[in-house]
């Protein structure tokens, strides 16, 4: 569908366009002020800088984890492999214990939960929080990395889970 370039882009049109942009899936996690683990599935995660090492996480203003993440001094990002489609689904669901029965541990020396068999896990110190439309951009300075590196990636594309080889 071609649009007249002078036509303003509305939310539904933009959403349809972005559904064609494949993105890696992650679980972003922290603890709230009561010590409860909080986390969500995120596809808007990207590197920002090598020196210092920074990443950016898109955080919806209506996310159930927003208050915990905007108040936290740190968080983790667990990059999911194709085998983690059930984890991604659970962390995208509301009204469930997202961590129950899954292999999350606290990062050594912190209380920040991460998925132990993630393709890559990043420990981050919150560096900035930038309002951006209906989201906030959470910027984290990467202070730790754990990697297994061998997993087929889990991607979000056309509103579904995919690997580089097949639909999962």
């Amino acid at each position: 569908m071609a649009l007249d370039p002078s036509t303003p882009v509305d939310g539904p049109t933009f959403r349809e366009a972005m559904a064609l942009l494949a993105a890696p899936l992650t679980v972003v996690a922290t603890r709230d002020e009561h010590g409860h683990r909080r986390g969500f599935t995120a596809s808007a995660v990207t590197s920002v800088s090598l020196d210092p090492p920074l990443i950016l996480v898109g955080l919806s203003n209506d996310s159930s984890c927003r208050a915990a993440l905007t108040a936290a001094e740190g968080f983790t990002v667990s990059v999911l492999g194709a085998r983690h489609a059930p984890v991604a689904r659970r962390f995208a669901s509301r009204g469930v214990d997202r961590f129950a029965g899954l292999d999350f541990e606290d990062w050594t020396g912190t209380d920040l939960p991460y998925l132990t068999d993630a393709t890559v896990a990043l420990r981050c110190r919150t560096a900035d929080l930038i309002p951006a439309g209906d989201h906030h951009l959470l910027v984290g300075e990467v202070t730790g990395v754990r990697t297994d590196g061998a997993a087929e990636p889990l991607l979000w594309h056309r509103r579904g889970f995919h690997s580089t080889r097949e639909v999962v």
Side-chain angles (χ1 to χ4, degrees):
M1 155 175 78
L3 292 177
D4 176 344
S6 64
T7 303
V9 176
D10 61 9
T13 301
F14 184 64
R15 179 178 286 215
E16 286 301 315
M18 291 297 94
L20 301 175
L21 178 65
L25 284 168
T26 68
V27 167
V28 178
T30 194
R31 289 198 185 255
D32 66 17
E33 69 273 9
H34 305 293
H36 300 118
R37 297 182 296 185
R38 306 287 297 192
F40 72 103
T41 300
S43 61
V45 175
T46 191
S47 63
V48 173
S49 169
L50 292 176
D51 189 17
L54 299 174
I55 63 166
L56 178 143
V57 175
L59 176 61
S60 174
N61 289 341
D62 67 358
S63 170
S64 63
C65 298
R66 182 179 173 277
L69 280 160
T70 58
E73 293 182 8
F75 59 95
T76 63
V77 175
S78 298
V79 179
L80 304 179
R83 69 185 180 276
H84 295 120
V87 175
R89 284 185 188 95
R90 166 119 32 112
F91 276 80
S93 300
R94 291 190 181 258
V96 299
D97 180 351
R98 294 175 176 168
F99 293 88
L102 298 176
D103 198 12
F104 277 81
E105 291 182 5
D106 288 345
W107 200 287
T108 304
T110 77
D111 64 352
L112 298 174
Y114 74 98
L115 184 63
T116 59
D117 69 340
T119 302
V120 175
L122 306 170
R123 182 186 68 206
C124 301
R125 180 189 62 76
T126 301
D128 206 351
L129 185 66
I130 305 161
D134 60 3
H135 278 63
H136 274 73
L137 305 178
L138 178 62
V139 179
E141 180 177 359
V142 178
T143 60
V145 175
R146 297 176 185 262
T147 182
D148 131 349
E152 186 73 24
L154 181 62
L155 304 173
W156 182 250
H157 183 251
R158 293 185 179 231
R159 294 188 187 83
F161 298 120
H162 301 269
S163 74
T164 54
R165 297 176 195 220
E166 62 185 65
V167 176
V168 291

